Amino acid sequence: MGFLARGDDRALGAPYNTAMADSGELLFDEAEGAEAGELGRYSTGILPSHVLRRLIRAHREVVAAEEFDPAQIQPASIDLRLGPIAWRVRASFLPGPHATVLDKLPNVLMHEVDLTKGAVLETGCVYIVPLIERADFSARVSGIANPKSSTGRIDVFTRLITDRAQAFDRIDPGYSGPLYAEISPRTFPVLVRKGSRLNQLRVRRGSPQFTDTQLRRLHHATPLVDGEADIDNGLGLSIDLRGHDGGQIGWRAKRHTGVIDVDRRDALDPLEYWDPIMGHPSGSIILDPGEFYILVSREAVAIPPDYAAEMVPFNPLVGEFRVHYAGFFDPGFGFEAGKPPAAHGVLEVRSREVPFILEHGQIIGRLVFERLTDPPPEVYGQGIGSHYQRQGLKLSKHFRALELRA
C-alpha cells in the first residue's frame, strides 16, 4: 500500500522503526523540552504503548489498585477493567461540574450486583460499574474513551464517566479521581465479571490539531484508503451494500437470544444470534427502527503506525441512524508497508426513530486522525493477538467462524 512518509517530513510521519520506538535515544527536537523525551519524538499527541507502560510502572497518569495485565496495553490505548460490583440504576446520568458519581448515585440506585463470580447484565437496563483503574492526570494530559471493538459489535452501549463530568467518554486535563463505566446491553444479555474489559482509554498530551491539508498530505505519502479519498473534516467512509456477486453484505441481530460471555472467544454459533443479509440488486437496504446491523465499509483502510484514528459521531442531518459504537482505529490497522490498504471498517449500525434507506456508496462516517508522540513497538495485528486485522465483514471475537457464500 504506498510507502511510509519520508523521514525528513515530520508532518507526514517518520518511517516506522521498532528499534527506534524501543530505544532510549532522544527522538524529539531539544526545543520541545525534557518532558517530551519521556513521551517520544513529539511533545504532544496520543501516547503509544511503550510510553504507557513506562508511565504505569512509575504510577503516573493511570493507576490501579491491582497490578496491570500486560494484555491491557494496546498500541495506542489501555483496556479498562470492571471492578467487583455494578449498580443497577433507573437512568443514565452525568454528575455535572459540582458533584461526584457517588453524590448522584442514591437518586437513581435500584440495587447492587456482585461481579466477583460473574453476573448477567440484562438488555434495556443501565448499570454503573466502578473501574479498577483511576486517572491521576497531569495538567496537560487528557483522555478519551470508547467501547472496545468486541463490545460495540455485540451492541453493548458503554461509556466512561468521571466525577464532575459534563460529557461522557472524556477525562479533562489534570483530572485525578475514579473512573466508572456506564453499561447498557441493547440487544444481547451479557455475562461479565470483575476484570472484564469493555472499554478502552486513549491518553493524550496537549491538543494537537490535524487539519484536512495535513490529512491529504498523509494520504498522498501513505494511502489511507484504496481509491479516491473523500477528505472533508476527516476521511469519509462509505457503505458496501453490493458485496460480491450478490453475496453477503452484513448481519442483523436476532432478538431473545442466549447470553454472551464477554470473556469467551470463538464460543458461539453466529446463526443463533444473527441473520445474514444478502446483497440486493438495487444496492440498498432498509434499516428497521430499533434493529442492530453489522455492515462493512466499501473502502479498505490503512492506519499508518505513527497515527491513530477515531470514527466521529455521525451527523444527524444526513440520516436517522447511528454508526460505530467502537470508534477507535489503532495504529497499523490494515497497514502493511508497500501494499494497498488491507482492512475494511466494520460498522455497527442502528436506525433511530424511523425506517431509513441506506444506498451503496453512501458516506456513513468520517475518520479523524491524530498523531502519536512516537510509533509503538508493536502495531495492530502484529504479535498482540488482534482479532480484526485484514478484516472484511467480521463478527466479534465471541463467535466461531462461519463460511457463507462470498
Side-chain angles (χ1 to χ4, degrees):
M1 69 149 291
F3 298 93
L4 280 168
R6 298 184 300 276
D8 61 349
D9 191 342
R10 292 178 52 161
L12 297 179
Y16 180 68
N17 186 314
T18 297
M20 181 185 300
D22 274 335
S23 76
E25 298 177 80
L26 292 179
L27 302 175
F28 61 97
D29 293 337
E30 290 188 12
E32 293 187 314
E35 188 174 1
E38 297 179 319
L39 308 181
R41 67 182 70 182
Y42 296 106
S43 64
T44 60
I46 300 292
L47 303 188
S49 57
H50 59 293
V51 173
L52 292 171
R53 290 188 187 97
R54 188 160 60 239
L55 293 172
I56 287 169
R57 284 196 296 268
H59 304 287
R60 293 172 52 192
E61 310 302 348
V62 180
V63 297
E66 303 180 5
E67 288 293 321
F68 279 85
D69 181 342
Q72 287 180 253
I73 310 301
Q74 304 301 321
S77 63
I78 303 171
D79 291 348
L80 302 176
R81 296 170 293 179
L82 302 184
I85 60 171
W87 297 305
R88 168 79 164 90
V89 295
R90 292 187 291 116
S92 173
F93 68 92
L94 282 169
H98 306 298
T100 67
V101 171
L102 295 184
D103 290 337
K104 295 290 188 179
L105 187 63
N107 296 326
V108 294
L109 178 63
M110 297 179 66
H111 60 87
E112 185 175 296
V113 181
D114 182 5
L115 299 185
T116 55
K117 295 181 180 180
V120 173
L121 306 186
E122 300 289 352
T123 57
C125 299
V126 181
Y127 304 85
I128 304 295
V129 182
L131 299 175
I132 293 175
E133 290 73 31
R134 59 181 281 127
D136 189 16
F137 281 179
S138 307
R140 294 194 64 197
V141 172
S142 61
I144 180 173
N146 250 303
K148 291 171 58 66
S149 294
S150 55
T151 306
R153 292 191 197 183
I154 55 174
D155 201 19
V156 177
F157 192 54
T158 305
R159 301 188 287 192
L160 185 76
I161 310 175
T162 68
D163 288 342
R164 300 175 180 83
Q166 300 183 73
F168 293 104
D169 286 335
R170 297 293 184 271
I171 305 178
D172 291 336
Y175 175 79
S176 181
L179 304 175
Y180 303 86
E182 177 194 273
I183 304 168
S184 182
R186 309 311 300 161
T187 298
F188 309 116
V190 294
L191 175 63
V192 302
R193 55 188 59 80
K194 178 187 173 185
S196 294
R197 307 195 298 260
L198 299 187
N199 60 347
Q200 55 193 338
L201 175 68
R202 280 185 178 168
V203 182
R204 174 194 292 118
R205 186 174 189 272
S207 301
Q209 301 298 312
F210 198 69
T211 67
D212 282 350
T213 298
Q214 291 172 302
L215 187 57
R216 291 187 185 95
R217 294 172 63 195
L218 177 62
H219 175 67
H220 178 74
T222 306
L224 306 175
V225 292
D226 55 349
E228 185 176 352
D230 182 315
I231 296 176
D232 182 11
N233 292 317
L235 177 66
L237 290 185
S238 63
I239 198 76
D240 180 9
L241 296 179
R242 296 195 187 279
H244 301 283
D245 300 322
Q248 188 183 3
I249 60 167
W251 298 92
R252 181 167 63 182
K254 294 182 176 181
R255 295 286 185 176
H256 314 297
T257 67
V259 172
I260 296 177
D261 184 335
V262 300
D263 298 319
R264 291 189 65 195
R265 299 174 66 106
D266 303 316
L268 302 174
D269 179 354
L271 295 180
E272 293 184 2
Y273 292 79
W274 302 91
D275 290 320
I277 304 173
M278 310 308 287
H280 190 273
S282 68
S284 65
I285 183 175
I286 297 177
L287 303 179
D288 293 323
E291 298 299 320
F292 182 68
Y293 301 83
I294 298 292
L295 303 172
V296 69
S297 71
R298 183 175 61 168
E299 300 84 2
V301 179
I303 310 298
D306 41 0
Y307 288 84
E310 180 186 5
M311 180 78 82
V312 297
F314 190 74
N315 182 357
L317 298 178
V318 183
E320 290 296 319
F321 59 95
R322 175 193 171 106
V323 175
H324 222 260
Y325 290 150
F328 287 168
F329 285 66
D330 275 343
F333 176 86
F335 175 89
E336 191 171 348
K339 296 185 179 180
H344 293 261
V346 172
L347 308 165
E348 302 98 32
V349 179
R350 174 180 287 281
S351 185
R352 291 181 174 172
E353 303 301 326
V354 298
F356 187 81
I357 298 176
L358 272 183
E359 304 282 354
H360 177 76
Q362 183 172 341
I363 296 290
I364 42 75
R366 293 192 176 274
L367 289 178
V368 173
F369 282 70
E370 191 166 345
R371 186 189 66 199
L372 275 63
T373 62
D374 211 34
E378 287 184 331
V379 297
Y380 192 92
Q382 185 185 85
I384 60 173
S386 303
H387 181 72
Y388 307 114
Q389 182 70 319
R390 302 189 67 85
Q391 72 180 353
L393 178 65
K394 195 173 185 68
L395 294 173
S396 70
K397 64 186 180 184
H398 311 100
F399 298 96
R400 296 190 293 269
L402 178 68
E403 294 296 329
L404 287 176
R405 185 165 57 94

